[in-house]
């Protein structure tokens, strides 16, 4: 699948045209909240008034990715999210308690559903076609990406908008004991919205393509070398061809990072979550970063000098859901 347009709203100022991750500041806060752009530059003020935080991020990232792809609309909208519009869920539950389950406004409840973001994007771009939201925790974005692959196999001329969106609030941080998690793993809880315009057709602006996706559950018995080798074999790739590995681990001394260094001694191994934080769809940030590295031919914290042709994303969500995504230059 060719990446014809991409956009990222994250803890970094990643919507800037000349942004590169090397310039980014690492988060020293347990909650790595997003640096939000000036939304009115992308969405009308009338719509903005009715949008929650997560919907604003998602709709804006989708708008920018379509602009970069030179597309007015798409044939399908597929999103992944762990908790949907958590801010509205929070508001609704607090009103439920405050009003003792009486005289509740339905607005927050309606806007809290997981598919609100995809629905709003479809309304903005008048996309009345295929629209689906995946909510498989740490595999939410990967399932959305894989579904896009299936859709494009059946609709060869189509354009698909695929994204991952998750948000945090202060109560979310308390719920997940952000302070303790930060001290233990040295990674913040993050949020963000990342969208891609994908198709089977390469355009003049296309720099990268998705070669393969794989998902599995974490186990201490996993043989990482076999897992990675088998995955790469499916895409006719060898481990020696991988120039960069974006690792979704928290600390450099994590066991998986040590395994990756043994498996791919020639690759530059970079832990990406220190820039975006940990959240259900952080792999969407990793895919965006991989495409950016290929486009700019710059590697953050570069160890070995190479021209970047292939990037492997190895992600794990809280040592639970794991995934591989292979991205290549084109």
């Amino acid at each position: 699948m060719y990446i014809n347009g991409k956009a990222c709203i994250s803890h970094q100022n990643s919507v800037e045209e000349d942004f590169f991750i090397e310039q980014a500041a690492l988060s020293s806060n347990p909650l790595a909240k997003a640096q939000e752009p000036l939304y009115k530059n992308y969405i009308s003020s009338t719509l903005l008034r009715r949008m929650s935080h997560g919907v604003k991020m998602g709709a804006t990232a989708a708008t920018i990715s379509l602009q970069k792809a030179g597309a007015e609309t798409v044939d399908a909208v597929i999103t992944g999210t762990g908790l949907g519009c958590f801010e509205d869920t929070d508001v609704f539950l607090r009103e439920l308690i405050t009003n003792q389950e009486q005289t509740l406004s339905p607005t927050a409840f309606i806007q809290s559903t997981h598919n609100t973001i995809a629905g709003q994007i479809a309304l903005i771009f008048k996309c009345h076609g295929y629209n689906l939201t995946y909510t498989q925790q740490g595999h939410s974005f990967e399932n959305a990406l894989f579904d896009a692959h299936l859709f494009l196999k059946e609709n060869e001329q189509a354009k698909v908008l695929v994204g991952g969106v998750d948000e945090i609030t202060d109560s979310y941080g308390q719920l997940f004991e952000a302070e303790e998690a930060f001290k233990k793993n040295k990674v913040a809880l993050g949020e963000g919205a990342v969208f891609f315009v994908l198709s089977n057709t390469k355009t003049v602006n296309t720099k990268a393509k998705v070669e393969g996706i794989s998902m599995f559950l974490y186990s201490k018995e996993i043989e990482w070398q076999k897992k990675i080798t088998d995955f790469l074999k499916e895409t006719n790739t060898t481990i020696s061809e991988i120039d960069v590995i974006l690792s979704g681990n928290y600390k450099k001394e994590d066991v998986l990072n040590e395994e990756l260094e043994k498996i791919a001694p020639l690759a530059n191994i970079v832990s990406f979550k220190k820039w975006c934080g940990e959240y259900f769809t952080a792999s969407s940030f990793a895919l965006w970063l991989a495409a950016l590295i290929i486009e700019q031919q710059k590697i953050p914290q570069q160890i070995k000098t190479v021209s970047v042709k292939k990037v492997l994303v190895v992600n794990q969500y809280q040592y639970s859901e794991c995934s591989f995504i292979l991205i290549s230059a084109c």
Side-chain angles (χ1 to χ4, degrees):
M1 297 182 290
Y2 291 106
I3 301 175
N4 298 330
K6 65 183 187 302
C8 173
I9 295 174
S10 69
H11 181 61
Q12 313 302 333
N13 193 17
S14 47
V15 293
E16 292 297 318
E17 285 292 333
D18 58 349
F19 173 82
F20 185 66
I21 202 72
E22 199 103 89
Q23 307 158 354
L26 305 185
S27 176
S28 58
N29 190 308
L31 296 182
K33 295 188 177 181
Q35 288 193 44
E36 300 178 87
L38 197 59
Y39 290 126
K40 67 180 183 181
N41 290 344
Y42 306 98
I43 303 170
S44 72
S45 300
T46 305
L47 290 174
L48 277 174
R49 283 199 297 270
R50 297 193 295 270
M51 287 183 175
S52 65
H53 171 56
V55 177
K56 287 177 184 177
M57 288 197 301
T60 301
T63 300
I64 297 171
S65 64
L66 261 78
Q67 288 174 352
K68 290 187 175 181
E72 292 184 1
T73 189
V74 288
D75 302 288
V77 178
I78 308 174
T79 61
T81 179
L83 291 176
C85 299
F86 187 82
E87 186 178 89
D88 281 309
T89 304
D90 191 355
V91 169
F92 176 75
L93 292 175
R94 288 180 186 279
E95 287 182 354
L96 195 71
I97 296 167
T98 302
N99 296 330
Q100 298 181 334
E101 303 182 23
Q102 303 293 320
T103 62
L104 293 171
S105 168
T107 305
F109 174 74
I110 293 167
Q111 292 181 343
S112 70
T113 57
H114 288 68
N115 62 349
T116 298
I117 298 163
Q120 286 289 334
I121 291 168
L123 289 171
I124 291 171
F125 295 105
K126 297 179 173 57
C127 174
H128 305 300
Y130 188 77
N131 193 303
L132 205 65
T133 297
Y134 285 89
T135 58
Q136 277 74 31
Q137 298 191 60
H139 281 160
S140 298
F141 175 70
E142 286 85 345
N143 275 290
L145 194 62
F146 189 74
D147 193 24
H149 163 66
L150 296 178
F151 185 88
L152 289 172
K153 283 190 74 173
E154 294 183 353
N155 305 271
E156 293 188 357
Q157 304 304 314
K159 293 190 292 290
V160 182
L161 182 67
V162 182
V165 185
D166 274 298
E167 62 180 358
I168 52 175
T169 64
D170 291 336
S171 58
Y172 178 100
Q174 294 166 9
L175 183 66
F176 284 87
E177 298 179 331
E179 192 77 39
E180 291 304 313
F182 180 74
K183 289 176 181 177
K184 180 181 177 182
N185 296 316
K186 302 301 181 187
V187 68
L189 288 178
E191 66 176 359
V194 186
F195 273 87
F196 305 90
V197 177
L198 305 176
S199 75
N200 292 321
T201 307
K202 182 181 177 181
T203 69
V204 292
N205 296 321
T206 307
K207 304 295 183 184
K209 59 183 176 180
V210 179
E211 296 272 20
I213 313 153
S214 178
M215 294 165 274
F216 55 97
L217 295 178
Y218 179 83
S219 165
K220 290 182 179 179
E221 287 73 41
I222 286 176
E223 295 181 21
W224 286 102
Q225 182 163 4
K226 186 177 187 308
K227 274 280 184 186
I228 293 173
T229 303
D230 288 348
F231 169 68
L232 294 178
K233 190 175 180 180
E234 293 173 7
T235 60
N236 299 314
T237 305
T238 62
I239 195 67
S240 60
E241 294 178 82
I242 303 299
D243 303 306
V244 179
I245 295 178
L246 293 180
S247 169
N249 283 281
Y250 306 136
K251 299 172 286 188
K252 182 174 174 55
E253 61 270 21
D254 270 354
V255 174
L256 178 52
N257 275 15
E258 293 175 1
E259 287 292 314
L260 292 174
E261 288 175 0
K262 295 175 187 175
I263 296 166
L266 300 178
N268 290 272
I269 300 173
V270 179
S271 297
F272 67 86
K273 286 181 181 172
K274 58 190 171 187
W275 290 301
C276 68
E278 172 68 299
Y279 57 102
F280 290 107
T281 52
S283 54
S284 62
F285 176 89
L287 177 56
W288 171 83
L289 179 57
L292 187 70
I293 288 171
I294 289 172
E295 181 181 333
Q296 297 188 354
Q297 288 293 298
K298 295 178 183 176
I299 305 171
Q301 299 177 338
Q302 187 169 19
I303 301 169
K304 305 167 184 72
T305 304
V306 292
S307 61
V308 185
K309 294 181 180 178
K310 290 185 182 289
V311 180
L312 176 65
V313 174
V314 180
N315 188 40
Q316 59 82 18
Y317 176 74
Q318 293 190 357
Y319 302 103
S320 177
E321 294 92 359
C322 303
S323 63
F324 300 140
I325 305 175
L326 179 64
I327 307 96
S328 299
C330 58

